Amino acid sequence: MLATGDDSMNGDAEIELARQFRDLAGAPEETEWPAHFDFQIGGYPLRVTYSVQEFLRLRAPYALSEQSPPDGAQATYRSNAGAPFSAIRPMNIELRSETSDHRAAKAAGVAVEVQTGDPPFDSEVYIDSPSHSQVVQRVLGSPELRASVRALLAEGFSSIVIDDDEGEICAHLQAFTESHQRPGCAARMLDAFVAIVRNVPHVARSSEPRPADAERALMCIGGILCFVLLVLGTPAYFLAAGARCDFEANPGATVLLSLDGCFTPIPLGLSAGLLAGLAVARVVSRRIRGRSSSHERASYAYAILMILSIQVALALSAAVLWTL
């Protein structure tokens, strides 16, 4: 059950906040888990989901009002006079609280973030999106929208995504604090979220294909390869070792210092893999820059290359030592 009896008296901010949403939606007191609370506010349909997997998520369809973007310096991007504004969709504009890591990545020239020209927003909110900078500036053109994004992030939301893969606007709350027990907290969150939904401009879906992202494709391939080698590597190692690791039939297999020992390739492979991986990962990760997500991609690439280097070095060490 979502909440029953006097659960709110135990100081559980999560349950109290979920209860506030339940009461606003007029849902039954004994609501089953996971809970979905549906709202119609100002003509906009909203859904609040409270579950173990998502914690608390606010969702609404993107740009129902089909309003035009506010006029500005970027008003002609991908649109002629009188034509609807269009862009490659989904735009996947993710908004998070800006951290010291974001600022360091920007200062180092690794990450490049869109700036809206609103100093408080630009200093507090980190914008991550594959969309063109002019598209992002247009979508975030409303001062009320930007103020509402800041308000939701200040309430503890980890991220707000405008036009996600489902064509929706969503806001995700994962960490609950004592401030979420304050009366009216859920209502304030809904008001801020509705302001975002109401003020996003309508963006038509462009027929232009999304540019190829070879960097992302290579990282996906590397991640899959790491997983495959990790799953198949251990059984393949012992299969190749054969009698060397048959400790019952071959007592001599326990001699680790022997070049032909069962585990001899492991310390050699780890040492060689770490050295090679550090060198390769350092060079490759430094070449990843120029996107709003480049600092995160560089970290993923570093980890993937380190793991692959160790896996390859282990295999080569076993092959060399066991064929001497």
Side-chain angles (χ1 to χ4, degrees):
M1 301 299 178
L2 175 62
T4 58
D6 294 324
D7 288 343
S8 62
M9 300 302 293
N10 66 5
D12 191 333
E14 178 178 353
I15 291 177
E16 171 60 19
L17 183 59
R19 173 179 288 174
Q20 289 187 28
F21 279 109
R22 180 202 67 194
D23 292 345
L24 288 172
E29 185 170 338
E30 294 187 354
T31 302
E32 295 293 335
W33 183 289
H36 300 289
F37 306 127
D38 292 314
F39 297 86
Q40 279 283 344
I41 303 177
Y44 300 99
L46 280 67
R47 167 165 282 195
V48 177
T49 299
Y50 176 60
S51 68
V52 173
Q53 294 81 13
E54 298 184 319
F55 292 93
L56 194 69
R57 187 180 290 270
L58 313 183
R59 304 193 73 94
Y62 171 76
L64 284 178
S65 64
E66 299 194 3
Q67 67 180 62
S68 299
D71 292 335
Q74 313 299 337
T76 60
Y77 182 72
R78 299 206 188 286
S79 61
N80 300 318
F85 178 65
S86 66
I88 299 170
R89 295 187 55 189
M91 295 178 289
N92 275 315
I93 302 172
E94 182 176 10
L95 309 168
R96 291 171 284 170
S97 294
E98 185 163 303
T99 66
S100 57
D101 289 340
H102 294 138
R103 288 187 283 272
K106 289 191 292 183
V110 176
V112 176
E113 182 202 17
V114 176
Q115 298 294 289
T116 66
D118 179 348
F121 183 90
D122 290 335
S123 65
E124 294 177 19
V125 182
Y126 191 78
I127 305 168
D128 184 9
S129 174
S131 296
H132 195 283
S133 59
Q134 292 172 315
V135 173
V136 176
Q137 289 169 335
R138 287 290 297 277
V139 171
L140 301 179
S142 164
E144 186 177 358
L145 181 151
R146 296 195 300 271
S148 298
V149 167
R150 292 173 60 202
L152 274 187
L153 293 177
E155 291 283 3
F157 279 78
S158 59
S159 66
I160 302 162
V161 181
I162 297 176
D163 191 28
D164 64 9
D165 290 338
E166 286 73 42
E168 295 184 322
I169 301 172
C170 68
H172 197 188
L173 179 67
Q174 294 177 293
F176 298 87
T177 65
E178 291 184 3
S179 64
H180 295 143
Q181 292 180 281
R182 295 173 300 178
C185 186
R188 287 192 300 273
M189 291 177 177
L190 283 176
D191 287 343
F193 189 66
V194 170
I196 295 172
V197 175
R198 183 175 60 244
N199 285 282
V200 290
H202 176 67
V203 178
R205 190 178 301 275
S206 171
S207 59
E208 181 181 353
R210 189 176 297 279
D213 190 347
E215 187 178 274
R216 183 175 184 272
L218 288 173
M219 292 182 66
C220 289
I221 292 172
I224 293 171
L225 188 56
C226 279
F227 177 77
V228 171
L229 291 176
L230 189 64
V231 171
L232 300 181
T234 300
Y237 181 94
F238 286 104
L239 180 64
R244 296 178 183 85
C245 295
D246 188 350
F247 302 117
E248 294 182 0
N250 182 16
T254 59
V255 181
L256 299 181
L257 297 180
S258 167
L259 290 177
D260 201 38
C262 176
F263 300 116
T264 306
I266 294 178
L268 296 177
L270 283 174
S271 300
L274 281 171
L275 290 174
L278 285 170
V280 174
R282 186 178 180 86
V283 171
V284 173
S285 61
R286 284 186 170 184
R287 296 176 65 87
I288 299 175
R289 55 185 59 238
R291 299 173 182 266
S292 56
S293 59
S294 289
H295 58 299
E296 295 174 344
R297 288 190 174 193
S299 297
Y300 295 150
Y302 199 99
I304 288 171
L305 289 169
M306 287 294 298
I307 295 171
L308 283 177
S309 295
I310 291 172
Q311 291 171 326
V312 171
L314 285 171
L316 291 175
S317 297
V320 171
L321 291 175
W322 291 345
T323 56
L324 288 176

